[in-house]
Amino acid sequence: MAINAPRRVRDFWPRFERRTTWLVAGLVLFFATLTAATLWFFQDTLLNYPMESLVIIAAVAMSSLITAILVHAHSTKPLRHLLSAVTHVSGEPSATTPPRPNDSALEKSGLGVVLQTIYSLASQTAPEDDAVTPAEAPARNVVEAALDSTLCGFITMDEHHAITYANKAAPVRVDSDGIMTLDVIFNGEDTLSAWLTQCAESSVKAEHTWARVANKLPNEEDRRFFDIIASYNKGAKNEVVLVLVDRTQLYSVGEEELDFIAFAAHELRGPITVIRGYLDVFQDELSDVLQDDQKELFRRLAVSANRLSGYINNILNTSRYDRRHLKMHLAETTVIDVYDTIRDDMALRASSQNRLLTVSIPNDLPTIAADTTSLGEVFGNLIDNAIKYSNEGGAIAVSAALNGDMVDVAIKDHGIGMPGNVVGNLFQKFYRSHRSRETVAGTGIGLYISKAIVESHGGTISVQSEEGRGSTFTVSLPTYRSVADSLRAGDNNDGLLKKSETGVYIKNHSAYRG
């Protein structure tokens, strides 16, 4: 008859002690029997063959060593798990991942119950007693009344991430069964759900912040914006606590300005295209009669027109992305082919600003699934930033390399770099540090839309920077081979490539809501 796994902390040690005792006794008996049988079988020849005797003695010694190693491994593994759990709940820095109580092996041995109790005690909760005593009720009523009077949303979630409480200001929707769900729209990969999944796998306590999160799409009524602060505490009765600070008054001004600018940009796109076309024609037709200073003037006009065109594309794409209208037309291509569409413009921008631009993209890299125009805008934004934030005569390097199922494209400069507090906010819409606002022109949406486009390709964008030494932006894109089946199975014109544990698949924009 099978023995059920222990359900109480005190049941773990007796079972562990019995298993250890039986393991030691079994191994000793096994090796003793093996040694006795060997000695009995070779008893007539051992005296005549000393080498064989030494082999048997060595085998016995090796058996004893193996026994000691097995017993040590069996005995120390649970202690290592316990020490790791205690280290994490104490708040000390640790390079190890805390053990998960719901791990099948730990549940089977009974250690999972012990670990869960450690996490619960560290959270100062009583998991089995959810009732509110009469003495506690008045205090709770006062707290809930105070929370209902504030403009900040306040939400708690249990260990299954189901909402257990939400005050009046919290943006939640309630279905016909009375179940509440968070009613906000996270952009890109950094969602609450993804963060909670990561916390469940590797954290005991954690915090995360999202800025400028809306509850509705543009042009929808009663649209609000929140800065969301999430706290995670493994094993607590309220495992997740969300504080949603209403920033509608602050952020709505910028959103309304963006709507107006997007309308204006749409109207300006046609004339800018015509101007760029005439500049190209004039340069070709008059190249033989223009003086050097006149050629330089045309070059600078072309750079300015192309940069203005880039700003317009960023604004229009940001407006489309916020409305879930940004569409990617993914097709098989190569990184070098994408870069070739902007090569001349990038070379012109670099030379006009007295920057040295070097490009090293191997021709034999695997193909990628990409929207050439959109991805070209990403590369253009990153190179343009490297040019703007580099010093006079500075070098900028563009390189690419295969990294597993991803192709990494790196844009590296040796310019002014950024401090750590700036790097963490780079990809937020409209974000610009005080120093960049004072010294470098820009809109504050180039990196925001670049991140959106890259994630729409199923890729990631990251940055490493050191103040005074420069920055490196890396765009990682999945190879076409790794996503080919997904592209054939869905309509990639309306979809987003999305990674999962089983591969990469296409995800529609509407799935980002909620």
Side-chain angles (χ1 to χ4, degrees):
M1 180 177 179
I3 300 176
N4 293 329
R7 296 181 180 275
R8 295 171 298 181
V9 174
R10 67 185 185 188
D11 292 333
F12 169 72
W13 179 253
R15 181 172 180 172
F16 175 76
E17 188 176 34
R18 286 196 302 269
R19 291 180 62 186
T20 304
T21 301
W22 280 110
L23 175 64
V24 173
L27 289 173
V28 171
L29 180 61
F30 171 77
F31 287 121
T33 303
L34 180 64
T35 302
T38 303
L39 293 174
W40 179 82
F41 186 78
F42 292 105
Q43 59 180 331
D44 295 332
T45 58
L46 287 177
L47 296 176
N48 298 325
Y49 298 94
M51 289 301 297
E52 284 76 358
S53 302
L54 292 176
V55 169
I56 293 175
I57 294 172
V60 173
M62 184 63 68
S63 300
S64 301
L65 179 62
I66 292 173
T67 301
I69 292 174
L70 289 174
V71 172
H72 176 75
H74 175 76
S75 302
T76 57
K77 190 173 183 180
L79 296 178
R80 187 167 63 250
H81 285 315
L82 290 172
L83 180 60
S84 177
V86 172
T87 300
H88 278 81
V89 299
S90 68
E92 293 183 6
S94 174
T96 62
T97 301
R100 292 180 292 170
N102 58 351
D103 183 270
S104 58
L106 298 180
E107 285 185 340
K108 185 177 180 180
S109 68
L111 186 59
V113 178
V114 180
L115 294 173
Q116 184 61 53
T117 302
I118 291 175
Y119 295 147
S120 298
L121 291 174
S123 304
Q124 296 183 351
T125 61
E128 297 180 358
D129 185 11
D130 294 332
V132 179
T133 66
E136 294 172 334
R140 171 168 289 193
N141 292 336
V142 171
V143 172
E144 290 183 357
L147 291 174
D148 283 337
S149 66
T150 181
L151 296 178
C152 293
F154 188 83
I155 295 173
T156 60
M157 297 180 176
D158 60 18
E159 68 275 12
H160 304 296
H161 304 157
I163 295 178
T164 56
Y165 170 79
N167 69 341
K168 291 182 178 179
V172 297
R173 57 177 181 267
V174 185
D175 63 16
S176 57
D177 296 325
I179 298 176
M180 295 182 290
T181 54
L182 184 62
D183 190 20
V184 295
I185 305 170
F186 290 93
N187 281 328
E189 302 280 330
D190 188 16
T191 65
L192 174 64
S193 177
W195 180 72
L196 290 177
T197 299
Q198 180 182 358
C199 287
E201 294 176 350
S202 59
S203 299
V204 174
K205 293 184 179 181
E207 285 192 354
H208 192 62
T209 302
W210 294 265
R212 198 186 286 268
V213 181
N215 67 327
K216 297 181 184 297
L217 294 176
N219 297 331
E220 292 184 351
E221 293 184 1
D222 193 28
R223 190 180 192 218
R224 293 192 289 164
F225 294 90
F226 300 90
D227 287 345
I228 302 177
I229 305 169
S231 297
Y232 175 83
N233 200 346
K234 183 187 289 290
K237 182 170 63 176
N238 295 317
E239 190 168 86
V240 182
V241 177
L242 302 179
V243 178
L244 300 95
V245 183
D246 194 321
R247 300 290 193 189
T248 303
Q249 189 173 1
L250 175 64
Y251 292 145
S252 59
V253 175
E255 296 296 325
E256 291 170 0
E257 290 177 350
L258 178 61
D259 289 341
F260 173 77
I261 293 172
F263 172 78
H266 186 271
E267 296 300 315
L268 288 172
R269 194 174 196 177
I272 288 297
T273 302
V274 173
I275 292 173
R276 291 175 64 191
Y278 278 125
L279 285 173
D280 290 339
V281 171
F282 287 154
Q283 281 183 295
D284 291 339
E285 295 293 331
L286 303 176
S287 59
D288 295 334
V289 298
L290 291 175
Q291 301 297 320
D292 288 343
D293 57 341
Q294 294 172 328
K295 291 181 179 179
E296 179 63 23
L297 176 62
F298 268 102
R299 255 191 350 140
R300 291 184 178 276
L301 286 172
V303 168
S304 297
N306 290 339
R307 179 169 292 172
L308 181 57
S309 180
Y311 289 157
I312 289 174
N313 288 335
N314 283 338
I315 292 168
L316 293 176
N317 281 334
T318 298
S319 180
R320 295 189 189 105
Y321 179 66
D322 288 346
R323 287 165 171 77
R324 299 303 190 267
H325 293 159
L326 181 65
K327 298 179 185 291
M328 297 291 109
H329 299 267
L330 302 178
E332 185 175 13
T333 185
T334 63
V335 172
I336 192 68
D337 286 341
V338 173
Y339 184 77
D340 282 342
T341 63
I342 63 169
R343 182 185 295 274
D344 294 340
D345 184 28
M346 294 300 103
L348 192 60
R349 292 192 198 186
S351 61
S352 67
Q353 299 293 317
N354 192 26
R355 306 292 193 269
L356 176 62
L357 176 63
T358 59
V359 180
S360 177
I361 302 177
N363 291 314
D364 58 350
L365 286 175
T367 57
I368 58 175
D371 182 309
T372 299
T373 301
S374 298
L375 195 57
E377 290 180 13
V378 172
F379 293 161
N381 283 334
L382 297 179
I383 294 172
D384 189 51
N385 281 346
I387 292 172
K388 289 190 295 185
Y389 291 100
S390 289
N391 300 314
E392 181 77 12
I396 299 156
V398 180
S399 60
L402 181 63
N403 183 11
D405 286 335
M406 308 292 283
V407 175
D408 291 345
V409 182
I411 293 89
K412 181 177 183 179
D413 66 68
H414 301 277
I416 61 176
M418 296 170 285
N421 62 325
V422 171
V423 172
N425 298 308
L426 272 182
F427 298 102
Q428 293 182 19
K429 184 164 57 176
F430 300 132
Y431 178 79
R432 303 194 72 218
S433 68
H434 293 290
R435 183 173 62 176
S436 64
R437 283 200 299 266
E438 295 171 355
T439 59
V440 181
T443 61
I445 59 176
L447 291 178
Y448 171 78
I449 195 60
S450 294
K451 182 174 184 288
I453 291 172
V454 171
E455 290 182 350
S456 296
H457 284 71
T460 59
I461 183 170
S462 59
V463 58
Q464 291 183 330
S465 185
E466 185 177 349
E467 192 169 12
R469 301 181 68 100
S471 306
T472 300
F473 285 82
T474 302
V475 174
S476 298
L477 301 162
T479 62
Y480 183 81
R481 178 185 56 80
S482 67
V483 299
D485 292 340
S486 298
L487 289 173
R488 297 189 191 102
D491 181 8
N492 63 342
N493 292 337
D494 296 319
L496 295 176
L497 286 176
K498 188 78 173 174
K499 291 184 179 179
S500 71
E501 294 180 356
T502 57
V504 184
Y505 63 94
I506 292 178
K507 181 174 183 180
N508 191 276
H509 288 274
S510 61
Y512 274 85
R513 185 178 180 87

